[in-house]
Amino acid sequence: MIPKTTYFWIILLLMGCFPPDKSDIRNRIVGKYCNDTHTLILTDSQTYINTKKLKGIIANTPFQESCKGKYSIEMKEGHWILRFEKDEHPHATSNCQQEYTLWTEKEGYLIGEGEVTMRDLFDNTPMKRCD
């Protein structure tokens, strides 16, 4: 007798929905993402640096908020999740601790099939690869 979980994986495989493995996910997201004011760098060693350029209140003097730390990629209930650990000493009002879903069985990649779009950790501003 074949276990029910085996049928589940066979069906996913036949439908082309077999989940990517962790190395595929990591290879897809590692890199530098940016727009006019935000930058997010995800490294091979599972660390991140997130920055945001701001204009100061007095004389529009520019300054930058930033945070950094480790990230992890985890499979949770059929979803690949990207989890950013808290920066204990951020140079910002936020510590950048957050998580979001990268891939689901039903929808595939939520960060884009072709060009990857990541989100800033301060205000979820979309960023494209710029490395």
Side-chain angles (χ1 to χ4, degrees), residues 9-31:
W9 291 112
I10 290 171
I11 290 169
L12 284 178
L13 181 60
L14 293 174
M15 293 175 56
C17 298
F18 198 73
D21 64 24
K22 193 177 213 174
S23 64
D24 290 337
I25 297 284
R26 185 180 303 116
N27 290 338
R28 187 172 183 87
I29 66 168
V30 165

Side-chain angles (χ1 to χ4, degrees), residues 58-75:
I58 301 172
N60 287 333
T61 305
F63 69 98
Q64 182 172 286
E65 287 189 320
S66 66
C67 56
K68 59 185 176 180
K70 293 200 165 280
Y71 71 88
S72 60
I73 304 165
E74 302 169 17
M75 177 62 89

